[in-house]
Amino acid sequence: MQTFLSIAFYVGIAALVIVLFLGIANLARTDDNQASRSNKLMRLRIFVQAIVIAILVALGALAGAFKIGF
């Protein structure tokens, strides 16, 4: 399980970097849909960040960094 979460973490980080670069590239555009696209990319980036953070917390729990429960 820890190996799967480690791989998922790195895939999530890669996806996050891709979305971030797409957002930066979108800033250079000047078409009519630029603002709408920028907003959608920002929402997608926040969603991907939340998933990556959840995976990171799960990895920490599996590694014994903290205890969940009583």
Side-chain angles (χ1 to χ4, degrees):
M1 183 68 165
Q2 193 169 358
T3 304
F4 172 74
L5 285 176
S6 295
I7 293 170
F9 176 73
Y10 289 118
V11 169
I13 291 292
L16 186 60
V17 168
I18 290 170
V19 172
L20 181 63
F21 281 128
L22 286 174
I24 291 171
N26 187 54
L27 290 174
R29 292 184 169 192
T30 58
D31 59 353
D32 293 335
N33 295 330
Q34 189 266 343
S36 175
R37 191 179 314 111
S38 181
N39 194 8
K40 288 178 185 176
L41 286 169
M42 179 67 75
R43 289 182 198 165
L44 181 62
R45 185 179 60 87
I46 292 171
F47 179 70
V48 172
Q49 277 180 336
I51 291 172
V52 170
I53 289 170
I55 292 170
L56 188 60
V57 168
L59 274 171
L62 282 176
F66 54 89
K67 286 189 143 191
I68 298 177
F70 300 103

